[in-house]
Amino acid sequence: MLDIVKVMTEKRLNLQKRRQRMEETHRQVIAGVDKQINEIDLALAKINECIEPYVCPKCKGTGVMKVCDAAGDFEEMACHTCRGTGLKLSEGD
C-alpha cells in the first residue's frame, strides 16, 4: 500500500513540475506577444501623428458621413467636406 502512495505522490510532484514549466513557457510567449502589440501600438500612434494634418476633420478620414433622412433612418454618404477622399482638401479645391 505504501508503494502505491509513494508512486502517486511522485507522479503528482512530476505533474506539478511539468505544470510549472508550462506556465513559465506560456509567460514567456505572452511577454513576447505583449511586446509585439506595444510595438504596433507605437507605430500606429506615430502614423496617426504623421497623417493627422491631412485627415478630413469632418469624417475623421473615413470619407463617409452618416446622415439622417426624412424618415429618421441613418444612411451613409460621401463626406461633403473631403468629397469622399478622407483627406483635407486645400482651400482652392
Side-chain angles (χ1 to χ4, degrees), residues 8-88:
M8 295 198 64
T9 302
E10 287 176 2
K11 182 167 179 86
R12 183 180 187 282
L13 288 173
N14 288 334
L15 288 170
Q16 283 181 315
K17 288 177 185 177
R18 181 176 169 203
R19 183 178 190 276
Q20 289 172 345
R21 287 191 305 270
M22 290 170 63
E23 282 179 345
E24 181 57 33
T25 300
H26 284 92
R27 270 194 288 272
Q28 291 171 358
V29 170
I30 289 169
V33 169
D34 286 343
K35 182 181 179 203
Q36 291 179 30
I37 289 170
N38 289 334
E39 290 171 353
I40 290 171
D41 287 344
L42 290 173
L44 288 171
K46 186 65 175 175
I47 290 168
N48 286 330
E49 180 184 319
C50 291
I51 66 170
E52 193 274 328
Y54 306 102
V55 174
C56 174
K58 191 77 169 175
C59 68
K60 307 287 190 258
T62 64
V64 177
M65 296 293 300
K66 288 188 179 190
V67 294
C68 186
D69 63 15
D73 296 324
F74 284 97
E75 64 181 0
E76 291 184 348
M77 59 187 305
C79 176
H80 295 297
T81 305
C82 66
R83 293 185 231 147
T85 65
L87 303 172
K88 277 186 188 176

